């Protein structure tokens, strides 16, 4: 790997993650390892480690590094937990998750993105990520329950079907709000019910599907 990228990645971890309060050592270690520049389109290579999302084609984006780290930290995964990710996109977040989870189940609705992410992860010898082309708002019932569920697209409300696929003590991390701005929300499933916590404001591309936005109701171009 080019030393320039390694340097940039080290700086990203220090300036964007540690400086802003990302503290989970496993999250830091994983973000320090995954070569984000391989998941970024050639035209944006020079911005691979910069502090914002980048377009990945199909009107979609790879999330800002800080947001990826924050979501994963908020999931508070126990060692060897099984994770569901909705919105594979470039496959970057799945690659980070693969270093923390025993198995990552990732659902993507755009076949071209799912295919290129799968190919890239295979070329990196990532073996514990399984990608499904489907509407992820329905979760992945055959593999439920999950210790963590991470939704990488903006939902109009928390889909109950996803809460029901959480293991006891498990957490769902999801941006909830309008198409233009959302609140990062954590839903924890406890024996006695569910506990919901709001973390911060955020902006994601829309979650489109049966339990998300209807196709045509919102456009992801609006937020790019
Ligand atoms: N985690 C990604 C970023 C994802 S951007 C990364 O690391 O690059 C959000 C992704 O969610 C987009 O690729 C979009 O196509 C996908 N998406 C939107 N609605 C979806 C749905 N209902 N099911 C699965 N994927 C969905």
């Amino acid at each position: 790997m080019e030393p320039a990228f390694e340097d940039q990645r080290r700086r990203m971890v220090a300036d964007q993650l540690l400086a802003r309060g990302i503290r989970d050592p496993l999250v830091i270690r994983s973000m320090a390892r995954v070569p984000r520049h391989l998941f970024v389109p050639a035209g944006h290579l020079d911005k691979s480690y910069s502090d914002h999302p980048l377009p990945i084609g199909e009107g979609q984006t790879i999330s800002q590094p800080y947001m990826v780290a924050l979501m994963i930290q908020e999931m508070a995964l126990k060692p060897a937990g099984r994770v569901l990710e909705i919105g594979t996109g470039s496959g970057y977040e799945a690659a980070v998750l693969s270093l923390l989870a025993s198995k990552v189940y990732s659902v993507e609705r755009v076949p071209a993105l799912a295919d290129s992410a799968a190919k890239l992860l295979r070329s990196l010898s990532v073996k514990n990520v399984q990608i499904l082309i489907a509407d992820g708002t329905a979760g992945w019932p055959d593999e439920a329950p999950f210790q963590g569920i991470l939704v990488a697209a903006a939902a109009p409300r928390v889909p109950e079907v996803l809460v029901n696929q959480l293991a006891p003590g498990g957490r769902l991390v999801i941006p909830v709000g309008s198409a233009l701005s959302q609140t990062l929300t954590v839903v924890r499933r406890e024996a006695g019910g569910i506990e919901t916590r709001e973390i911060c404001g955020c902006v994601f591309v829309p979650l489109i599907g049966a339990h998300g936005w209807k196709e045509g109701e919102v456009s992801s171009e609006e937020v790019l």
Side-chain angles (χ1 to χ4, degrees):
M1 151 162 359
E2 294 181 43
F5 283 127
E6 253 179 76
D7 253 20
Q8 290 176 28
R9 193 158 65 247
R10 212 169 299 131
R11 244 175 297 137
M12 171 200 87
V13 168
D15 300 347
Q16 299 172 36
L17 308 188
L18 289 167
R20 288 196 196 126
I22 301 296
R23 286 286 173 266
D24 185 324
L26 273 176
V27 175
I28 293 291
R29 203 167 69 199
S30 306
M31 295 285 295
R33 274 179 59 190
V34 176
R36 180 175 165 93
H37 59 279
L38 299 182
F39 295 85
V40 165
H44 294 282
L45 217 51
D46 57 328
K47 298 189 272 310
S48 298
Y49 294 93
S50 48
D51 195 12
H52 46 72
L54 294 167
I56 54 170
E58 309 284 339
Q60 307 303 327
T61 58
I62 175 173
S63 307
Q64 175 195 28
Y66 172 71
M67 197 44 74
V68 173
L70 181 63
M71 291 181 93
I72 298 177
Q73 179 169 273
E74 288 297 338
M75 208 165 53
L77 202 62
K78 300 222 166 52
R82 295 159 74 252
V83 171
L84 174 66
E85 180 196 37
I86 320 285
T88 315
S90 67
Y92 171 68
E93 191 167 51
V96 178
L97 286 168
S98 77
L99 299 174
L100 291 126
S102 59
K103 178 95 195 229
V104 180
Y105 299 87
S106 187
V107 189
E108 172 56 57
R109 67 183 284 274
V110 179
L113 292 175
D115 290 345
S116 72
K119 212 177 287 166
L120 185 48
L121 292 171
R122 217 175 305 128
S123 77
L124 292 171
S125 301
V126 175
K127 299 218 186 332
N128 60 339
V129 175
Q130 196 177 332
I131 296 175
L132 177 72
I133 299 171
D135 172 11
T137 66
W140 195 322
D142 289 351
E143 297 295 344
F146 304 96
Q147 276 75 39
I149 301 178
L150 200 160
V151 182
R157 67 201 77 83
V158 176
E160 207 180 315
V161 61
L162 294 183
V163 178
N164 292 337
Q165 289 179 30
L166 281 175
R171 292 179 206 210
L172 162 68
V173 183
I174 179 169
V176 181
S178 72
L180 295 178
S181 85
Q182 306 91 35
T183 304
L184 189 63
T185 305
V186 179
V187 180
R188 182 166 178 185
R189 183 170 194 174
E190 322 254 21
I194 63 163
E195 180 199 285
T196 301
R197 210 156 40 88
E198 296 186 342
I199 306 301
C200 63
C202 56
V203 181
F204 280 79
V205 294
L207 179 73
I208 296 170
H211 304 281
W213 298 98
K214 304 278 164 288
E215 189 146 30
E217 196 175 20
V218 287
S219 142
S220 54
E221 317 296 343
E222 283 169 31
V223 299
L224 291 181

